[in-house]
Amino acid sequence: MIVNTCGFIDAAVAESLATIGEALAENGKVVVTGCLGAKQGFIKKAHPSVLAVTGPHDSAAVMDAVHAHLPKPHDPYTDLIPDIGVKLTPRHYAYLKISEGCNHRCSFCVIPSLRGDLASRPIGEVMLEAENLVKAGVKELLVIAQDTSAYGVDLKYRTGFWGGRPVKTKMLDLCKTLGELGAWVRLHYVYPYPHVDDVVPLMAEGKILPYLDVPFQHASSRILKLMKRPARAENVLARIRGWRKICPQIALRSTFITGFPGETEAEFSELLEFLKEAQLDRVGCFAYSPVAGAAANALPDAVPDEVREERRGRLMQAQAAISAARLQAKIGRTLKVIVDEPGLGRSSADAPEIDGVVRFKGCARVGEFAAVLIERSGEHDLHGRLQ
Ligand code: SF4
């Protein structure tokens, strides 16, 4: 209860004190405001149990006192926002952003100039968000950042705490800890650092999904150098073989750029050869686009628009055949899928929106896991029936 008081005449003072007394007797939680409140110590002397006393014209102090002792009043515009914030994805999967910005300077990219250098979120904060998401019904966490594998570099892999336990702000530690939540954990935008190899055993053990989204961008070492990207194609192929040896079921996704300034037909063929060798499961491809402010725009020998596009088409066509063959090999297997819509799910090899899907006959609840026997395959999707 809020009692507004008057101290102008003695009768008003008496009435005010009496009213405060009544209010205390009625519900015991009383905030006093008004002129009488301005008399230092006067109210507290008469009624020591009032919660707060403010002077006149101080509605902010009154509201602070109210909020200190009662939950905030309901506001339909903001109160329905859960602690985890507003989630725009379906209830059963969520993106988990672990850092912002990037320390690399790929010559085709302006992200570092827009978002700055890498800034990792503390591990405790990330884990708490992940835990709350899982508690709220999320069954798949999609780990994202501009550079997921650099997580914690800026914080010198500082040790944080989750559930009272020390955990390092580091990709491997994050993956291990996320793996304890019991949800699917899918890694995106993994820069091909050597330490990425360390998370593959976690995939083999079923702690996180056997899925790695590593943008390779190209295969020609000259083009990669111009892009200011690491890794020579032969090293990448050896690493892919290594990953598959440790975790044969791993699904590899990558993205490439065709028509980067100076890319010759021979270098593009190198990329096609690489694709044939690498046998990636999922591939995205962009025709080079000169983003304003990107260093690559100053490179000589721009590739004409139509050639960039034509190469993109050829790359996607080559990959479609690889993808079709890889999917065909899944016929006859029973896959665990997460159901996104009636009759439509995704296996561990399918990230939402960017990869293929598993279409199935039979009734399964949206947001739940189901087992689907694969009967047919296409270029990107699988078809089957519920088990
Ligand atoms: S392409 Fe990725 S790794 Fe390279 S600068 Fe941009 S955000 Fe960083």
Side-chain angles (χ1 to χ4, degrees):
M1 291 180 85
I2 300 167
V3 178
N4 196 10
T5 57
C6 175
F8 183 56
I9 53 172
D10 284 351
V13 171
E15 193 181 338
S16 294
L17 291 176
T19 306
I20 294 166
E22 272 174 41
L24 283 169
E26 277 293 318
N27 92 348
K29 288 183 179 166
V30 177
V31 173
V32 177
T33 186
C35 303
L36 206 53
K39 277 177 109 177
Q40 219 37 38
F42 184 78
I43 304 281
K44 280 275 185 185
K45 198 171 164 202
H47 293 293
S49 60
V50 294
L51 297 176
V53 179
T54 84
H57 312 299
D58 199 353
S59 52
V62 172
M63 291 314 293
D64 284 350
V66 171
H67 289 156
H69 296 281
L70 279 178
K72 270 172 81 174
H74 176 72
D75 178 340
Y77 292 102
T78 57
D79 284 7
L80 294 177
I81 299 172
D83 289 346
I84 55 168
V86 178
K87 202 165 77 60
L88 301 174
T89 44
R91 191 168 170 263
H92 58 281
Y93 68 80
Y95 293 92
L96 183 67
K97 188 152 201 182
I98 59 170
S99 61
E100 184 61 88
C102 181
N103 288 347
H104 297 286
R105 296 294 182 263
C106 304
S107 59
F108 53 81
C109 176
V110 292
I111 283 178
S113 66
L114 297 175
R115 308 212 173 167
D117 284 341
L118 178 81
S120 303
R121 293 177 63 201
I123 185 99
E125 192 183 304
V126 171
M127 282 307 303
L128 189 65
E129 181 181 347
E131 189 184 3
N132 285 337
L133 286 166
V134 173
K135 276 188 196 157
V138 165
K139 296 203 168 62
E140 179 179 4
L141 293 165
L142 302 125
V143 180
I144 54 164
Q146 260 84 53
D147 177 3
T148 306
S149 37
Y151 180 59
V153 172
D154 54 317
L155 301 178
K156 302 198 170 52
Y157 304 125
R158 191 167 68 202
T159 299
F161 288 88
W162 175 60
R165 229 172 76 192
V167 191
K168 271 190 180 173
T169 306
K170 200 173 181 185
M171 187 203 197
L172 180 63
D173 303 67
L174 174 72
C175 290
K176 276 186 192 160
T177 323
L178 283 174
E180 292 173 21
L181 294 176
W184 274 8
V185 176
R186 194 184 290 283
L187 300 182
H188 283 290
Y189 316 126
V190 176
Y191 194 85
Y193 296 107
H195 73 255
V196 169
D197 298 8
D198 299 342
V199 299
V200 179
L202 297 180
M203 299 178 179
E205 292 163 23
K207 302 257 166 59
I208 60 173
L209 284 185
Y211 182 98
L212 205 50
D213 174 7
V214 194
F216 293 126
Q217 309 297 8
H218 213 279
S220 146
S221 42
R222 191 186 76 91
I223 296 293
L224 283 168
K225 230 184 218 166
L226 288 175
M227 287 179 165
K228 293 207 162 58
R229 298 280 303 182
R232 298 166 67 90
E234 55 275 24
N235 295 348
V236 172
L237 288 171
R239 288 181 75 196
I240 290 174
R241 279 193 288 274
W243 294 341
R244 288 198 168 123
K245 211 166 159 191
I246 299 168
C247 182
Q249 70 275 32
I250 196 169
L252 297 175
R253 174 182 176 83
S254 193
T255 44
F256 297 91
I257 296 172
T258 57
F260 188 80
E263 183 194 59
T264 63
E265 185 58 33
E267 284 162 339
F268 175 65
S269 299
E270 247 183 88
L271 176 52
L272 290 183
E273 267 313 302
F274 169 85
L275 273 189
K276 252 192 236 163
E277 283 286 315
Q279 292 287 304
L280 301 172
D281 298 272
R282 308 290 186 188
V283 165
C285 184
F286 304 94
Y288 176 74
S289 148
V291 182
N297 298 343
L299 291 171
D301 306 321
V303 176
D305 278 0
E306 59 280 11
V307 178
R308 292 179 213 165
E309 268 307 326
E310 185 264 340
R311 288 180 184 165
R312 192 189 75 84
R314 271 155 69 199
L315 188 148
M316 289 314 282
Q317 211 177 357
Q319 178 58 31
I322 294 167
S323 171
R326 293 189 71 76
L327 292 178
Q328 202 176 21
K330 297 189 180 182
I331 294 175
R333 282 174 53 191
T334 297
L335 300 180
K336 182 177 177 180
V337 304
I338 190 159
V339 181
D340 282 342
E341 291 172 29
L344 193 145
R346 288 177 294 106
S347 73
S348 64
D350 315 312
E353 317 240 326
I354 49 174
D355 292 332
V357 294
V358 180
R359 296 180 192 281
F360 59 86
K361 291 193 196 89
C363 231
R365 280 183 60 173
V366 170
E368 298 293 329
F369 290 110
V372 176
L373 173 68
I374 304 303
E375 299 173 317
R376 274 186 311 118
S377 64
E379 277 181 359
H380 302 289
D381 300 337
L382 292 167
H383 304 260
R385 65 182 148 84
L386 272 188
Q387 280 301 80

